Amino acid sequence: MLIKTIPVGQLMTNCYVVTDENTLDCAIIDPGDESGTILDYVEENKLHVKAIFLTHGHFDHQMGLPEVREETGAPVYVNRKDAFLPGEKPSSFKFGADDRVNFYKEGDTVKVGGLEFHVLETPGHSPGSVVLLCENAMFSGDTLFRDSCGRTDLEGGDMNVILTSLRRLASLEGEYEVYPGHMDTTTLSRERRFNYYMNYAANESGK
């Protein structure tokens, strides 16, 4: 598995291109902006985009989506709680009735080449936030950051809910390399040890 990090947009959102090196099939996670940069990497490396994953629907994680979807023809995956159809009350990600959108949920697995992405629902930053696990990699969106977690003061955010999600991530067995939606990569063991919010969540559960 090859993971390419492409920081995009004014908010420096981490877009990830995750590739099965045997087949060159890949998934694009959170095409937040600068679609040309993302597509250039795909073209230069002769990759086959099989899926586009959104960890949640906030604008800075999907501004580059229309062009990436049009150029690749790949299906889009998002949690239904972060999407709305025209005429519905806005949540985060807006799509048309004819768009190729798939709603993934807790427990789903999406295959890309020989890679399997497992979906965990981790609300709190947004109602439909998800974390994607693939082998020893955790794509945590804006749920878990190095030394921090996602903000909860936007519509649909809830600090108590994100603490529950962080507690769940901390309790996962094994070790993961953590690829967050912004800032630097980290490891789950490091965050279990040093992340104030994750530690607070764990301590609250033990009371």
Side-chain angles (χ1 to χ4, degrees):
M1 177 173 63
L2 175 66
I3 301 172
K4 173 66 174 180
T5 306
I6 307 176
V8 296
Q10 292 185 346
L11 298 182
M12 296 298 287
T13 299
N14 289 328
C15 171
Y16 298 104
V17 182
V18 187
T19 303
D20 176 350
E21 295 175 274
N22 294 319
T23 64
L24 297 185
D25 291 343
C26 73
I28 296 175
I29 302 175
D30 290 344
D33 204 349
E34 301 179 41
S35 57
T37 301
I38 300 168
L39 292 168
D40 284 348
Y41 174 79
V42 168
E43 182 178 358
E44 289 167 3
N45 291 277
K46 299 179 172 57
L47 305 182
H48 320 299
V49 182
K50 299 299 183 180
I52 303 168
F53 299 134
L54 299 184
T55 60
H56 61 293
H58 287 163
F59 76 94
D60 58 315
H61 289 253
Q62 48 107 350
M63 284 180 61
L65 175 61
E67 294 82 5
V68 172
R69 176 173 51 191
E70 181 178 354
E71 289 296 321
T72 65
V76 178
Y77 292 80
V78 65
N79 188 281
R80 183 68 178 88
K81 297 169 187 174
D82 265 17
F84 70 99
L85 279 164
E88 294 182 336
K89 181 181 178 181
S91 175
S92 293
F93 168 67
K94 182 178 180 179
F95 62 96
D98 296 327
D99 288 342
R100 298 181 64 195
V101 176
N102 298 273
F103 298 124
Y104 52 18
K105 62 185 184 304
E106 175 71 30
D108 284 350
T109 297
V110 182
K111 293 185 178 182
V112 175
L115 304 177
E116 294 187 348
F117 293 83
H118 304 281
V119 181
L120 305 180
E121 292 191 8
T122 55
H125 176 66
S126 71
S129 287
V130 302
V131 163
L132 301 170
L133 303 180
C134 184
E135 297 181 0
N136 68 334
M138 173 186 292
F139 301 95
S140 61
D142 286 4
T143 298
L144 174 63
F145 297 137
R146 182 184 177 96
D147 295 325
S148 190
C149 67
R151 60 189 295 182
T152 58
D153 58 338
L154 302 174
E155 182 179 358
D158 188 306
M159 177 55 75
N160 289 327
V161 173
I162 202 170
L163 288 174
T164 298
S165 294
L166 292 173
R167 183 160 56 245
R168 180 189 185 191
L169 295 180
S171 69
L172 292 175
E173 294 184 2
E175 172 69 303
Y176 288 92
E177 294 286 332
V178 178
Y179 295 86
H182 302 273
M183 300 180 289
D184 296 334
T185 58
T186 182
T187 64
L188 187 57
S189 61
R190 183 190 184 283
E191 298 315 301
R192 289 185 184 116
R193 185 175 180 185
F194 295 114
N195 189 303
Y196 167 82
Y197 298 95
M198 184 169 273
N199 278 298
Y200 179 82
N203 290 335
E204 284 294 296
S205 69
K207 290 184 177 179

